[in-house]
Amino acid sequence: MKLFNTLTRQVEEFVPLQQGEVKLYCCGPTVYDYAHIGNFRTYIWQDILRKTLEHAGYKVTHVMNITDVGHLTSDGDEGEDKMMVAAKRVTGNVSTMQDVLDIARFYEDAFLSHAALLRITKPHIVARASEHITEIIDFVQTLKAKGFAYEAGNNIYFDTAKFPDYGKMARLDIENLRHGARVAEDSLKRNATDFVLWFTKSKFENQLLVWDSPFGVGYPGWHIECSVMASKYLGARIDIHCGGIDFIQVHHTNEIAQSEAYFGHKWVNFWIHGEFINFNNVKFGKSLGNAVNSPDLLEKGYRPEAYRHLVLTSVYRKPMNFNFDALDSSQSFVDKLNKKFQEFKNGQTDTDVINPDRVTSVLAEFWGFLENDLATPRALAVLNSVLKDKEFNNREKVLILQEMNDAFRLLYN
């Protein structure tokens, strides 16, 4: 199996840390609003990745975080906590931590429900940041004891100057960034690239999600949660860490720094990132007012499988353009696929003899494309060829399409 590793910018042969097993960590949603279909593109290709690894014979342990505290309106250290923004937007009257967490649970449930609609397999472990505060505090204390963190204004910062490889995956121009090019000036930071591990209440007076800590009453920074929860459930070394390309420069760069400073060795072998989705060739997002949610598609009469198919027609590392004409085409395809599948299923006869070599050959071609950096368009072309191929009998086509569906999930229940 080969995968593009963002760390090296090359397609590499995947070799697991432990034979037969894969430790997979995927950055999950910040549950302050509904996830849009652009977000779900990421989770669909991660689902394909997991299914391909499992088909290759690996025992996969899949962990995903739920960010319900600490993610500010800036990916750096500026602005309000997104959960507080959501609480004010939803109710306008929040007074307790539980009020905010109730809103987080609502959007978390919505995310998991919409993911299930899109036939995305639920991770083995879904971990909430707010339920790992003790472990986060311990992690921060260790970084501080090792000299990688410092206290300023009662906040705890990671000192990027103490980590020589800072920015290695993103290939950042550190000297430029240290003059404040990336983030707004924070007078408490020693270096512009330093980032917060723990905020105190003194910085955000109206923050309701706060806990006692040796550093003061406060809450964790966003980046620390993934390092803590990934290592808790997967150990000190991880095979694959996934996310969107927007995480490379800040979030995943900071994860690498704090984790490798903590453990003293390389943390993740493969970093895999997916590209953005555009809407009619314009950037797609909530802030731009053009976000489309899964329920929006259902209300318009589209099946979830149609969006899965649309995602499969593009390479995960390339930008994808969404529009309703393209979705109409995908809906037509999945309707045709399901109609044909039923015809093949109903048309099976006792005289249909399965040729193992022929079936094995086409399935090997299908999985081979997926094992070559998740080449879903090429694998989809193999599926298309099976629909048209008159060499296969009905029983063979049913068998082949059922196995292809293990990854693609385009057949209706």
Side-chain angles (χ1 to χ4, degrees), residues 160-215:
T160 57
K162 298 289 183 64
F163 189 75
D165 282 344
Y166 183 77
K168 60 183 177 181
M169 182 173 69
R171 302 184 179 182
L172 300 178
D173 180 351
I174 299 301
E175 286 307 311
N176 186 39
L177 292 176
R178 282 180 179 154
H179 286 89
R182 188 182 75 187
V183 294
E185 290 294 337
D186 181 338
S187 60
L188 299 177
K189 294 182 180 182
R190 294 176 181 173
N191 312 286
T193 51
D194 293 355
F195 56 93
V196 178
L197 300 170
W198 185 268
F199 287 103
T200 64
K201 190 177 179 180
S202 62
K203 188 166 184 178
F204 298 102
E205 294 297 334
N206 297 320
Q207 176 73 10
L208 294 174
L209 295 173
V210 292
W211 292 265
D212 289 329
S213 82
F215 328 114

Side-chain angles (χ1 to χ4, degrees), residues 145-267:
K146 288 187 172 186
F148 288 102
Y150 61 92
E151 186 171 339
N154 293 325
N155 294 328
I156 307 299
Y157 293 87
F158 184 89
D159 190 344
T160 57
K162 298 289 183 64
F163 189 75
D165 282 344
Y166 183 77
K168 60 183 177 181
M169 182 173 69
R171 302 184 179 182
L172 300 178
D173 180 351
I174 299 301
E175 286 307 311
N176 186 39
L177 292 176
R178 282 180 179 154
H179 286 89
R182 188 182 75 187
V183 294
E185 290 294 337
D186 181 338
S187 60
L188 299 177
K189 294 182 180 182
R190 294 176 181 173
N191 312 286
T193 51
D194 293 355
F195 56 93
V196 178
L197 300 170
W198 185 268
F199 287 103
T200 64
K201 190 177 179 180
S202 62
K203 188 166 184 178
F204 298 102
E205 294 297 334
N206 297 320
Q207 176 73 10
L208 294 174
L209 295 173
V210 292
W211 292 265
D212 289 329
S213 82
F215 328 114
V217 176
Y219 65 102
W222 173 36
H223 316 297
I224 193 70
E225 67 178 78
C226 288
S227 295
V228 169
M229 292 188 287
S231 59
K232 176 176 179 177
Y233 297 108
L234 297 174
R237 298 180 189 271
I238 297 171
D239 291 290
I240 303 173
H241 193 314
C242 297
I245 61 163
D246 51 327
F247 286 170
I248 296 173
Q249 189 171 22
V250 181
H251 185 47
H252 287 169
T253 286
N254 292 349
E255 280 189 57
I256 290 172
Q258 65 200 10
S259 299
E260 296 190 0
Y262 182 93
F263 292 115
H265 57 66
K266 184 179 180 181
W267 181 46

Side-chain angles (χ1 to χ4, degrees), residues 36 277-279 281-292:
H36 58 64
I277 184 173
N278 296 318
F279 186 12
N281 297 309
V282 176
K283 186 179 177 181
F284 191 95
K286 298 184 187 79
S287 62
L288 300 174
N290 63 356
V292 179

Side-chain angles (χ1 to χ4, degrees), residues 17-64:
L17 291 163
Q18 188 170 337
Q19 187 174 357
E21 297 186 13
V22 176
K23 298 175 180 179
L24 172 66
Y25 186 86
C26 298
C27 282
T30 300
V31 286
Y32 73 106
D33 203 344
Y34 294 108
H36 58 64
I37 60 172
N39 303 135
F40 279 114
R41 181 196 186 192
T42 298
Y43 300 109
I44 288 172
W45 67 254
Q46 290 171 359
D47 188 46
I48 302 291
L49 170 64
R50 172 176 163 179
K51 293 306 178 188
T52 304
L53 288 165
E54 289 173 339
H55 178 267
Y58 295 111
K59 178 185 176 183
V60 179
T61 303
H62 179 190
V63 178
M64 182 187 76

